[in-house]
Amino acid sequence: MTKRTLPVLATATAALFALNSFAMAAGAVHTAVSDDIIAQQRAALAKNTDGAGFGPQAPRDIDSVAGTNQRAFAPAPAYTQMNLCDIHFHENAEHRGGEFTHYAGNGDGHGYDTGYQYTGQLTPAELKPLDHPVGKTEHGDLQPGDTIEAHFVYSTAQAKPGPTLGTCLSDAISNPQLRVEAQVFVLVNDPNALDFNTLADVETVNGLYQAPNIPTDTGTPVVYAGSTTGPGYDETGSPFEVTWSVHPKVARVDINSVDKWLGHNVFEEDHAHGVRNLVTNPALLSQIDQ
């Protein structure tokens, strides 16, 4: 995004939308690809970004601070000083670390059935099956015990909440700063657990769109310089600069509330999204300040 022209903005919007371009929900059983396929995707990512000037990428292992990417950009302001523009979530955590370190497997090579899962224990009551599917697509649905990573996306543009990440961009500001507050949840069949509708409630605070109920008791977030995510970037670099704030502890959320939110929300979300391969190439990772 170098000019304030509609064609350029449309191109940028399309690129940013790649984060959401692989719409999917878990629950179906797919044949997992081999380790060789994942290695080939990582090799393609390294080749396609080598010497091209891409900035640091996401997602990453938040328990590892190492990174050698030299593209520097200023951290985005605190989310309370920015406009909330998008909320969506991914089936399984895109990031690894904290309480979500169990690898779900290679998946099908396109973001299905991969990522990282909650490592804690759940009770039989919390895992009680529902009598109806949640977020069902042709690829499956969400079930009690599943892990999701919710992304609360903020922009310095005069943005407002709406469908797709294109709402985070603006004709007036061609290079808004972006921040994602990331929280991993485990879905439980428990009405006393957190209500996702409350967590995703949007209010105007001091003239800015906010999600004021993001959990504050899930550990000190790991803040790092990265990019947009999603499996559309498995073999190519994301061109967007994003300040990430990833909370290391997992919170329990009532799957019934997630079902209700998916049925009606301003973001027009109705399913869980797929995950990008964990970025492990040091040349594509920023150094995390401790």
Side-chain angles (χ1 to χ4, degrees):
M1 296 183 291
T2 57
K3 297 181 180 179
R4 297 182 185 179
T5 62
L6 287 176
V8 171
L9 180 60
T11 300
T13 301
L16 187 57
F17 185 70
L19 174 58
N20 283 342
S21 64
F22 283 77
M24 61 196 67
V29 177
H30 302 97
T31 300
V33 300
S34 68
D35 291 345
D36 288 342
I37 296 298
I38 303 301
Q40 290 171 17
Q41 291 179 333
R42 289 201 166 109
L45 176 62
K47 179 180 178 181
N48 293 333
T49 56
D50 185 33
F54 281 94
Q57 301 290 294
R60 66 179 295 162
D61 186 337
I62 61 170
D63 290 340
S64 174
V65 302
T68 61
N69 189 281
Q70 297 300 309
R71 300 280 75 77
F73 61 90
Y79 71 88
T80 54
Q81 300 174 32
M82 305 172 72
N83 275 307
L84 176 78
C85 51
D86 184 77
I87 298 175
H88 64 273
F89 59 77
H90 299 255
E91 166 61 15
N92 293 326
E94 288 201 290
H95 289 84
R96 181 194 183 281
E99 295 181 341
F100 38 96
T101 58
H102 177 72
Y103 186 47
N106 292 339
D108 73 338
H110 299 287
Y112 297 83
D113 300 327
T114 187
Y116 293 86
Q117 299 172 332
Y118 176 50
T119 55
Q121 299 295 315
L122 299 175
T123 67
E126 290 174 322
L127 292 170
K128 182 181 178 180
L130 301 181
D131 60 3
H132 64 279
V134 175
K136 185 176 179 59
T137 70
E138 65 271 23
H139 305 296
D141 58 11
L142 294 170
Q143 303 171 13
D146 285 346
T147 299
I148 63 172
E149 180 176 318
H151 292 167
F152 299 82
V153 188
Y154 287 81
S155 172
T156 54
Q158 188 173 309
K160 64 179 182 179
T164 84
L165 288 170
T167 58
C168 302
L169 305 178
S170 167
D171 292 339
I173 300 177
S174 59
N175 61 337
Q177 289 181 285
L178 302 171
R179 174 182 283 273
V180 177
E181 294 293 315
Q183 175 63 59
V184 177
F185 296 100
V186 61
L187 305 181
V188 294
N189 191 354
D190 181 0
N192 295 316
L194 294 174
D195 186 317
F196 197 81
N197 297 278
T198 300
L199 295 169
D201 182 47
V202 179
E203 298 180 10
T204 303
V205 181
N206 297 323
L208 297 171
Y209 292 104
Q210 295 288 305
N213 300 319
I214 296 175
T216 58
D217 59 351
T218 49
T220 301
V222 175
V223 179
Y224 76 92
S227 69
T228 52
T229 62
Y233 292 120
D234 277 345
E235 298 187 11
T236 187
S238 165
F240 291 92
E241 298 175 342
V242 178
T243 298
W244 282 87
S245 180
V246 185
H247 295 251
K249 293 185 178 181
V250 174
R252 285 166 164 77
V253 67
D254 180 18
I255 189 172
N256 298 286
S257 70
V258 172
D259 186 26
K260 182 178 179 181
W261 186 80
L262 289 174
H264 178 71
N265 60 83
V266 69
F267 309 102
E268 298 184 7
E269 293 289 324
D270 60 7
H271 59 268
H273 295 273
V275 305
R276 184 186 190 183
N277 290 337
L278 196 73
V279 179
T280 59
N281 182 351
L284 292 176
L285 297 174
S286 61
Q287 178 75 23
I288 297 179
D289 295 330
Q290 292 181 300

